[in-house]
Amino acid sequence: MAAPINLCLVWAIFFFCNCNSLPSFPAILIFGDSLVDTGNNNYIKTILKAKYLPYGQDYPGNLPTGRFSNGKLIPDILASALGIKDSVPPFLDPTLSEHDLITGVNFASAGAGFDDLTTTLSNAIQVSKQIELFKVYVEKLKGIVGEGKAKEIINGALVILNAGTNDWLLNYYDIPTRKLQFNATGYRDFLLNDKLQIFITTVKLENPLAGESCLEDQNRDSGVYNEELVKLLTRLQATLPGTKLVYNDLYEPVMDMITQPDKYGKFKADDYQ
């Protein structure tokens, strides 16, 4: 029987163009948590780091980079597949080149969430602070290419947002801090209407992907959360002309990996001893 898994994810890919065919993006920008953090936590004081093996064992050079993965993350793979760059560097990396900034960077932080309270213990960079980093990035970009070109790059960028899991796990289920304040419906509305909507309208982006869990109550709450998320995004898209919203489900492929691991290669504990 598969181990319980909670996947209350918000996967957002924002297209700032008319996408009747596979678009061409000048840059890629990433926001969110550990599923998309390419190393920002290496540069902050947090217990959540991936600077040691087996992380990175399949990454070029076979070294841990701060990615919570054995190799590249989805943002890296997307950037490469779309011909933007081979991988997406973390914005906090002090060695970033001008080319890195022009073609896009990553603001995500492992342990982050929409709710600022989520990062109290981990000291990760909450999504609201990632927006502040984005604003710093925009100023740096203007200094390199000028205001007009910077606006063109931002407006044409592929933007990915992945968050939500940590809010529910850390603040509602594992450490029920928010449970004392909200029922599941109230917390869902708080995250969607007070947090996610602000993010989207602030950065002027749009579009997610979501999932559920295996525990009965968490499945129910996550499912309703995701249904409301889709409704919210539909409403937001209507107010943001010139964008294309793409919704996809991450839950099924992840559950397939859990229930049928032989299809993807078995984990061998001896490999890490």
Side-chain angles (χ1 to χ4, degrees), residues 154-182:
I154 298 299
N155 286 343
L158 168 64
V159 181
I160 296 176
L161 165 65
N162 180 93
T165 304
N166 294 322
D167 294 313
W168 285 96
L169 286 179
L170 300 181
N171 274 335
Y172 203 81
Y173 291 116
D174 291 352
I175 305 175
T177 307
R178 287 298 193 190
K179 215 168 191 177
L180 300 175
Q181 183 179 0
F182 299 103

mmCIF file of all heavy atoms in Angstrom, residues 154-182:
data_model
loop_
_atom_site.group_PDB
_atom_site.id
_atom_site.type_symbol
_atom_site.label_atom_id
_atom_site.label_comp_id
_atom_site.label_asym_id
_atom_site.label_seq_id
_atom_site.Cartn_x
_atom_site.Cartn_y
_atom_site.Cartn_z
ATOM 1 N N ILE A 154 10.473 41.050 -19.338
ATOM 2 C CA ILE A 154 9.550 40.637 -18.282
ATOM 3 C C ILE A 154 8.189 40.258 -18.860
ATOM 4 O O ILE A 154 7.596 39.243 -18.507
ATOM 5 C CB ILE A 154 9.384 41.753 -17.233
ATOM 6 C CG1 ILE A 154 10.718 42.058 -16.542
ATOM 7 C CG2 ILE A 154 8.330 41.359 -16.199
ATOM 8 C CD1 ILE A 154 11.312 40.906 -15.800
ATOM 9 N N ASN A 155 7.692 41.084 -19.777
ATOM 10 C CA ASN A 155 6.377 40.825 -20.365
ATOM 11 C C ASN A 155 6.350 39.563 -21.221
ATOM 12 O O ASN A 155 5.302 38.956 -21.418
ATOM 13 C CB ASN A 155 5.921 42.020 -21.206
ATOM 14 C CG ASN A 155 5.495 43.195 -20.360
ATOM 15 O OD1 ASN A 155 5.235 43.040 -19.173
ATOM 16 N ND2 ASN A 155 5.435 44.363 -20.954
ATOM 17 N N GLY A 156 7.521 39.161 -21.727
ATOM 18 C CA GLY A 156 7.578 37.972 -22.568
ATOM 19 C C GLY A 156 8.078 36.736 -21.850
ATOM 20 O O GLY A 156 8.214 35.673 -22.449
ATOM 21 N N ALA A 157 8.353 36.858 -20.549
ATOM 22 C CA ALA A 157 8.965 35.763 -19.799
ATOM 23 C C ALA A 157 7.991 34.630 -19.507
ATOM 24 O O ALA A 157 6.776 34.825 -19.390
ATOM 25 C CB ALA A 157 9.538 36.291 -18.492
ATOM 26 N N LEU A 158 8.550 33.434 -19.384
ATOM 27 C CA LEU A 158 7.818 32.291 -18.859
ATOM 28 C C LEU A 158 8.002 32.324 -17.346
ATOM 29 O O LEU A 158 9.123 32.330 -16.853
ATOM 30 C CB LEU A 158 8.384 30.984 -19.424
ATOM 31 C CG LEU A 158 7.906 29.695 -18.750
ATOM 32 C CD1 LEU A 158 6.414 29.497 -18.947
ATOM 33 C CD2 LEU A 158 8.674 28.491 -19.280
ATOM 34 N N VAL A 159 6.900 32.354 -16.606
ATOM 35 C CA VAL A 159 6.964 32.445 -15.145
ATOM 36 C C VAL A 159 6.326 31.214 -14.530
ATOM 37 O O VAL A 159 5.214 30.833 -14.889
ATOM 38 C CB VAL A 159 6.261 33.719 -14.645
ATOM 39 C CG1 VAL A 159 6.359 33.821 -13.125
ATOM 40 C CG2 VAL A 159 6.867 34.946 -15.303
ATOM 41 N N ILE A 160 7.040 30.579 -13.608
ATOM 42 C CA ILE A 160 6.563 29.369 -12.956
ATOM 43 C C ILE A 160 6.412 29.626 -11.462
ATOM 44 O O ILE A 160 7.312 30.167 -10.824
ATOM 45 C CB ILE A 160 7.535 28.200 -13.181
ATOM 46 C CG1 ILE A 160 7.593 27.856 -14.669
ATOM 47 C CG2 ILE A 160 7.123 26.982 -12.366
ATOM 48 C CD1 ILE A 160 8.600 26.783 -14.997
ATOM 49 N N LEU A 161 5.266 29.227 -10.917
ATOM 50 C CA LEU A 161 5.005 29.339 -9.481
ATOM 51 C C LEU A 161 4.596 27.984 -8.945
ATOM 52 O O LEU A 161 3.676 27.362 -9.462
ATOM 53 C CB LEU A 161 3.881 30.359 -9.235
ATOM 54 C CG LEU A 161 3.236 30.341 -7.844
ATOM 55 C CD1 LEU A 161 4.249 30.749 -6.777
ATOM 56 C CD2 LEU A 161 2.028 31.256 -7.812
ATOM 57 N N ASN A 162 5.272 27.511 -7.908
ATOM 58 C CA ASN A 162 4.903 26.264 -7.238
ATOM 59 C C ASN A 162 4.896 26.512 -5.733
ATOM 60 O O ASN A 162 5.937 26.756 -5.151
ATOM 61 C CB ASN A 162 5.895 25.152 -7.571
ATOM 62 C CG ASN A 162 5.507 23.853 -6.871
ATOM 63 O OD1 ASN A 162 4.820 23.036 -7.443
ATOM 64 N ND2 ASN A 162 5.935 23.676 -5.626
ATOM 65 N N ALA A 163 3.725 26.476 -5.113
ATOM 66 C CA ALA A 163 3.630 26.674 -3.669
ATOM 67 C C ALA A 163 2.300 26.162 -3.173
ATOM 68 O O ALA A 163 1.408 25.853 -3.964
ATOM 69 C CB ALA A 163 3.807 28.154 -3.317
ATOM 70 N N GLY A 164 2.144 26.069 -1.850
ATOM 71 C CA GLY A 164 0.897 25.631 -1.241
ATOM 72 C C GLY A 164 1.049 24.432 -0.336
ATOM 73 O O GLY A 164 0.420 24.349 0.711
ATOM 74 N N THR A 165 1.913 23.498 -0.710
ATOM 75 C CA THR A 165 2.091 22.278 0.090
ATOM 76 C C THR A 165 2.535 22.600 1.509
ATOM 77 O O THR A 165 1.982 22.084 2.481
ATOM 78 C CB THR A 165 3.119 21.354 -0.578
ATOM 79 O OG1 THR A 165 2.714 21.081 -1.904
ATOM 80 C CG2 THR A 165 3.250 20.040 0.193
ATOM 81 N N ASN A 166 3.559 23.437 1.651
ATOM 82 C CA ASN A 166 4.099 23.740 2.975
ATOM 83 C C ASN A 166 3.097 24.468 3.853
ATOM 84 O O ASN A 166 3.094 24.293 5.079
ATOM 85 C CB ASN A 166 5.381 24.570 2.839
ATOM 86 C CG ASN A 166 6.498 23.800 2.192
ATOM 87 O OD1 ASN A 166 6.667 22.611 2.437
ATOM 88 N ND2 ASN A 166 7.268 24.454 1.343
ATOM 89 N N ASP A 167 2.260 25.301 3.249
ATOM 90 C CA ASP A 167 1.250 26.008 4.032
ATOM 91 C C ASP A 167 0.326 25.025 4.739
ATOM 92 O O ASP A 167 0.067 25.152 5.942
ATOM 93 C CB ASP A 167 0.416 26.923 3.120
ATOM 94 C CG ASP A 167 1.232 28.054 2.535
ATOM 95 O OD1 ASP A 167 1.974 28.705 3.286
ATOM 96 O OD2 ASP A 167 1.122 28.286 1.322
ATOM 97 N N TRP A 168 -0.158 24.042 3.983
ATOM 98 C CA TRP A 168 -1.079 23.071 4.577
ATOM 99 C C TRP A 168 -0.371 22.113 5.526
ATOM 100 O O TRP A 168 -0.873 21.817 6.618
ATOM 101 C CB TRP A 168 -1.790 22.283 3.473
ATOM 102 C CG TRP A 168 -2.854 23.087 2.798
ATOM 103 C CD1 TRP A 168 -2.751 23.795 1.636
ATOM 104 C CD2 TRP A 168 -4.188 23.297 3.252
ATOM 105 N NE1 TRP A 168 -3.931 24.422 1.332
ATOM 106 C CE2 TRP A 168 -4.840 24.136 2.307
ATOM 107 C CE3 TRP A 168 -4.908 22.849 4.363
ATOM 108 C CZ2 TRP A 168 -6.162 24.534 2.443
ATOM 109 C CZ3 TRP A 168 -6.239 23.249 4.504
ATOM 110 C CH2 TRP A 168 -6.847 24.076 3.556
ATOM 111 N N LEU A 169 0.791 21.614 5.126
ATOM 112 C CA LEU A 169 1.493 20.652 5.981
ATOM 113 C C LEU A 169 2.004 21.292 7.257
ATOM 114 O O LEU A 169 1.758 20.808 8.360
ATOM 115 C CB LEU A 169 2.658 20.033 5.213
ATOM 116 C CG LEU A 169 2.311 19.009 4.136
ATOM 117 C CD1 LEU A 169 3.582 18.512 3.467
ATOM 118 C CD2 LEU A 169 1.542 17.841 4.724
ATOM 119 N N LEU A 170 2.738 22.380 7.131
ATOM 120 C CA LEU A 170 3.412 22.964 8.287
ATOM 121 C C LEU A 170 2.488 23.783 9.177
ATOM 122 O O LEU A 170 2.690 23.832 10.398
ATOM 123 C CB LEU A 170 4.578 23.842 7.811
ATOM 124 C CG LEU A 170 5.659 23.130 7.001
ATOM 125 C CD1 LEU A 170 6.762 24.106 6.624
ATOM 126 C CD2 LEU A 170 6.242 21.962 7.795
ATOM 127 N N ASN A 171 1.504 24.429 8.601
ATOM 128 C CA ASN A 171 0.659 25.341 9.375
ATOM 129 C C ASN A 171 -0.706 24.793 9.731
ATOM 130 O O ASN A 171 -1.382 25.340 10.600
ATOM 131 C CB ASN A 171 0.440 26.651 8.601
ATOM 132 C CG ASN A 171 1.549 27.636 8.840
ATOM 133 O OD1 ASN A 171 2.211 27.600 9.860
ATOM 134 N ND2 ASN A 171 1.753 28.512 7.893
ATOM 135 N N TYR A 172 -1.115 23.733 9.052
ATOM 136 C CA TYR A 172 -2.478 23.269 9.273
ATOM 137 C C TYR A 172 -2.556 21.832 9.793
ATOM 138 O O TYR A 172 -3.347 21.540 10.673
ATOM 139 C CB TYR A 172 -3.295 23.398 7.986
ATOM 140 C CG TYR A 172 -4.781 23.466 8.247
ATOM 141 C CD1 TYR A 172 -5.382 24.662 8.619
ATOM 142 C CD2 TYR A 172 -5.573 22.334 8.152
ATOM 143 C CE1 TYR A 172 -6.741 24.734 8.898
ATOM 144 C CE2 TYR A 172 -6.936 22.389 8.423
ATOM 145 C CZ TYR A 172 -7.519 23.585 8.797
ATOM 146 O OH TYR A 172 -8.859 23.650 9.070
ATOM 147 N N TYR A 173 -1.718 20.958 9.264
ATOM 148 C CA TYR A 173 -1.797 19.557 9.661
ATOM 149 C C TYR A 173 -0.712 19.145 10.659
ATOM 150 O O TYR A 173 -1.009 18.694 11.764
ATOM 151 C CB TYR A 173 -1.751 18.651 8.427
ATOM 152 C CG TYR A 173 -2.992 18.763 7.573
ATOM 153 C CD1 TYR A 173 -2.936 19.254 6.278
ATOM 154 C CD2 TYR A 173 -4.236 18.388 8.066
ATOM 155 C CE1 TYR A 173 -4.080 19.368 5.504
ATOM 156 C CE2 TYR A 173 -5.385 18.497 7.305
ATOM 157 C CZ TYR A 173 -5.302 18.990 6.015
ATOM 158 O OH TYR A 173 -6.430 19.102 5.254
ATOM 159 N N ASP A 174 0.550 19.283 10.297
ATOM 160 C CA ASP A 174 1.625 18.820 11.180
ATOM 161 C C ASP A 174 1.740 19.696 12.427
ATOM 162 O O ASP A 174 1.844 19.200 13.544
ATOM 163 C CB ASP A 174 2.960 18.803 10.426
ATOM 164 C CG ASP A 174 2.984 17.729 9.358
ATOM 165 O OD1 ASP A 174 2.032 16.919 9.321
ATOM 166 O OD2 ASP A 174 3.934 17.687 8.566
ATOM 167 N N ILE A 175 1.776 20.997 12.237
ATOM 168 C CA ILE A 175 1.791 21.954 13.352
ATOM 169 C C ILE A 175 0.538 22.810 13.174
ATOM 170 O O ILE A 175 0.557 23.783 12.413
ATOM 171 C CB ILE A 175 3.062 22.827 13.329
ATOM 172 C CG1 ILE A 175 4.318 21.938 13.312
ATOM 173 C CG2 ILE A 175 3.090 23.774 14.527
ATOM 174 C CD1 ILE A 175 5.614 22.710 13.179
ATOM 175 N N PRO A 176 -0.547 22.482 13.846
ATOM 176 C CA PRO A 176 -1.849 23.090 13.539
ATOM 177 C C PRO A 176 -2.021 24.522 14.032
ATOM 178 O O PRO A 176 -3.022 24.858 14.662
ATOM 179 C CB PRO A 176 -2.825 22.137 14.223
ATOM 180 C CG PRO A 176 -2.066 21.593 15.386
ATOM 181 C CD PRO A 176 -0.641 21.453 14.899
ATOM 182 N N THR A 177 -1.070 25.372 13.722
ATOM 183 C CA THR A 177 -1.162 26.764 14.151
ATOM 184 C C THR A 177 -2.370 27.454 13.545
ATOM 185 O O THR A 177 -3.181 28.076 14.243
ATOM 186 C CB THR A 177 0.123 27.523 13.751
ATOM 187 O OG1 THR A 177 1.256 26.812 14.246
ATOM 188 C CG2 THR A 177 0.114 28.931 14.313
ATOM 189 N N ARG A 178 -2.495 27.375 12.235
ATOM 190 C CA ARG A 178 -3.607 28.032 11.559
ATOM 191 C C ARG A 178 -4.945 27.329 11.821
ATOM 192 O O ARG A 178 -6.000 27.918 11.641
ATOM 193 C CB ARG A 178 -3.345 28.092 10.055
ATOM 194 C CG ARG A 178 -2.285 29.086 9.641
ATOM 195 C CD ARG A 178 -2.656 30.499 10.006
ATOM 196 N NE ARG A 178 -1.790 31.481 9.350
ATOM 197 C CZ ARG A 178 -1.772 32.767 9.646
ATOM 198 N NH1 ARG A 178 -2.560 33.231 10.609
ATOM 199 N NH2 ARG A 178 -0.973 33.592 9.007
ATOM 200 N N LYS A 179 -4.895 26.060 12.255
ATOM 201 C CA LYS A 179 -6.119 25.327 12.548
ATOM 202 C C LYS A 179 -6.852 25.939 13.742
ATOM 203 O O LYS A 179 -8.054 25.773 13.903
ATOM 204 C CB LYS A 179 -5.800 23.858 12.814
ATOM 205 C CG LYS A 179 -6.850 22.882 12.314
ATOM 206 C CD LYS A 179 -6.314 21.464 12.354
ATOM 207 C CE LYS A 179 -7.244 20.517 11.610
ATOM 208 N NZ LYS A 179 -6.704 19.147 11.571
ATOM 209 N N LEU A 180 -6.094 26.635 14.588
ATOM 210 C CA LEU A 180 -6.696 27.314 15.726
ATOM 211 C C LEU A 180 -7.440 28.567 15.282
ATOM 212 O O LEU A 180 -8.306 29.075 15.998
ATOM 213 C CB LEU A 180 -5.603 27.704 16.734
ATOM 214 C CG LEU A 180 -4.774 26.553 17.323
ATOM 215 C CD1 LEU A 180 -3.662 27.106 18.199
ATOM 216 C CD2 LEU A 180 -5.663 25.612 18.118
ATOM 217 N N GLN A 181 -7.115 29.052 14.111
ATOM 218 C CA GLN A 181 -7.691 30.292 13.595
ATOM 219 C C GLN A 181 -8.722 30.065 12.496
ATOM 220 O O GLN A 181 -9.705 30.796 12.399
ATOM 221 C CB GLN A 181 -6.561 31.187 13.067
ATOM 222 C CG GLN A 181 -6.997 32.543 12.555
ATOM 223 C CD GLN A 181 -5.812 33.361 12.068
ATOM 224 O OE1 GLN A 181 -4.662 32.912 12.117
ATOM 225 N NE2 GLN A 181 -6.098 34.565 11.588
ATOM 226 N N PHE A 182 -8.469 29.040 11.640
ATOM 227 C CA PHE A 182 -9.325 28.784 10.481
ATOM 228 C C PHE A 182 -9.797 27.339 10.466
ATOM 229 O O PHE A 182 -9.071 26.438 10.903
ATOM 230 C CB PHE A 182 -8.561 29.006 9.168
ATOM 231 C CG PHE A 182 -8.041 30.392 8.946
ATOM 232 C CD1 PHE A 182 -6.695 30.678 9.133
ATOM 233 C CD2 PHE A 182 -8.879 31.409 8.524
ATOM 234 C CE1 PHE A 182 -6.194 31.945 8.897
ATOM 235 C CE2 PHE A 182 -8.396 32.680 8.287
ATOM 236 C CZ PHE A 182 -7.054 32.954 8.481
#
